[in-house]
Amino acid sequence: MARLLAARLGFGVSLLISLMLIVKSVEGQGYEGGMWNSAHATYYGDESGQAADMGGACGYGNWIASNYGTDNAALSTTLYNSGFACGSCFQIQCVDSKFCNVISPITTVTTTNLCPPDWSKDSNAGGWCNPPRTHFDMSKPAFMKIANWVGGIVPVNYRRVPCKRDGGLRFSFQGNGYWLLVYVMNVGGSGDIASMSVKGSQSNEWISMSHNWGASYQAFSTLKGQSLSFMVTSYTTKQTVIAKDVAPPNWTVGVTYQAKENFH
């Protein structure tokens, strides 16, 4: 009887530990357990998607050329998080409005821009992105997937979701041989970046890169004439990926190099 009880207790403890590990794993992913939160959404640009040429505060340039398409949004300051939210993905659902798309009031967008505050307007009357409001200013094609654009602004529920990307991380080079500025794009999984390091083929040491703005990181070092590898860490999940020999020794600025590796 004692052995049977011990066996049952052992099974219970094992089950409890397993459940705790599962919960910890979900929390560690940083997606808030899939919980929905409340916000509002507006739109900018037109339904043709021409706003894709506008670039944005994340530094992705033309969103279509950068493989982000038109399903994207600018976040209010509270959500933008000084650029560390760049590349993150949100599921957005239109709720409690006559303008909601009845058939399919939900879509997924990528963070590509900042919706700046407008302190000349009240936060509830035009200053939609004024802190501490949580707000999504969506591209018009994305907004029209969840609501009739005539509504202008609609209440929404939102939640963080993993980003699904084809191919590896993309590194767009700017700067020169002594100052390298890199925009990180096509980030899967969390979609966001917390920190980044670079290593040249002539060294065994990783050089820490500082956050410049949006999704860009910089290194003040002589890296010209070396093939370059990058170590990238996710802001949300803390997962680290090492992309080896992404750029060849004759790398040049103005070119985007793609790695085989990505977050999942």
Side-chain angles (χ1 to χ4, degrees):
M1 180 67 179
R3 288 184 179 179
L4 179 59
L5 180 59
R8 287 178 176 173
L9 286 174
F11 174 76
V13 171
S14 297
L15 179 60
L16 178 59
I17 292 175
S18 297
L19 289 174
M20 290 174 65
L21 288 174
I22 291 173
V23 171
K24 184 176 181 181
S25 175
V26 171
E27 290 178 346
Q29 291 301 305
Y31 297 115
E32 301 176 356
M35 294 177 59
W36 290 94
N37 299 280
S38 299
H40 283 79
T42 49
Y43 67 87
Y44 64 99
D46 57 36
E47 56 268 33
S48 69
Q50 292 299 314
D53 292 325
M54 294 174 61
C58 290
Y60 296 139
N62 184 295
W63 305 323
I64 295 176
S66 298
N67 204 36
Y68 288 110
T70 57
D71 289 335
N72 48 64
L75 308 188
S76 59
T77 304
T78 302
L79 292 171
Y80 183 71
N81 191 23
S82 300
F84 288 108
C86 285
S88 58
C89 295
F90 291 88
Q91 203 170 45
I92 300 179
Q93 180 181 34
C94 181
V95 295
D96 303 325
S97 172
K98 64 180 181 180
F99 297 106
C100 290
N101 186 335
V102 178
I103 299 177
S104 180
I106 189 169
T107 193
T108 300
V109 297
T110 298
T111 303
T112 57
N113 206 350
L114 165 69
C115 181
D118 184 352
W119 297 114
S120 67
K121 299 178 181 178
D122 185 90
S123 296
N124 295 309
W128 310 122
C129 292
N130 295 347
R133 288 181 62 101
T134 53
H135 190 86
F136 294 85
D137 196 22
M138 306 169 66
S139 69
K140 193 170 183 180
F143 185 88
M144 290 173 64
K145 289 184 177 181
I146 65 169
N148 188 325
W149 64 271
V150 176
I153 179 171
V154 294
V156 298
N157 287 334
Y158 73 94
R159 62 182 177 184
R160 279 287 302 276
V161 294
C163 300
K164 298 179 180 179
R165 303 292 179 212
D166 295 327
L169 297 170
R170 295 182 179 182
F171 301 86
S172 180
F173 284 21
Q174 299 295 330
N176 52 53
Y178 312 98
W179 169 62
L180 180 63
L181 180 66
V182 180
Y183 294 87
V184 190
M185 301 180 289
N186 201 52
V187 183
S190 66
D192 54 24
I193 300 297
S195 61
M196 185 170 162
S197 298
V198 60
K199 183 172 68 173
S201 55
Q202 298 174 13
S203 172
N204 293 321
E205 300 294 328
W206 286 99
I207 300 171
S208 179
M209 304 179 74
S210 59
H211 184 216
N212 186 289
W213 65 283
S216 69
Y217 289 79
Q218 61 189 359
F220 295 90
S221 184
T222 303
L223 296 167
K224 193 174 182 63
Q226 303 180 61
S227 60
L228 304 180
S229 299
F230 294 95
M231 180 165 55
V232 184
T233 299
S234 160
Y235 185 89
T236 299
T237 66
K238 312 308 178 187
Q239 178 187 1
T240 296
V241 166
I242 295 179
K244 297 181 179 180
D245 298 323
V246 173
N250 61 342
W251 60 264
T252 183
V253 298
V255 176
T256 298
Y257 299 92
Q258 183 160 331
K260 296 179 181 178
E261 300 79 7
N262 207 331
F263 294 111
H264 300 287

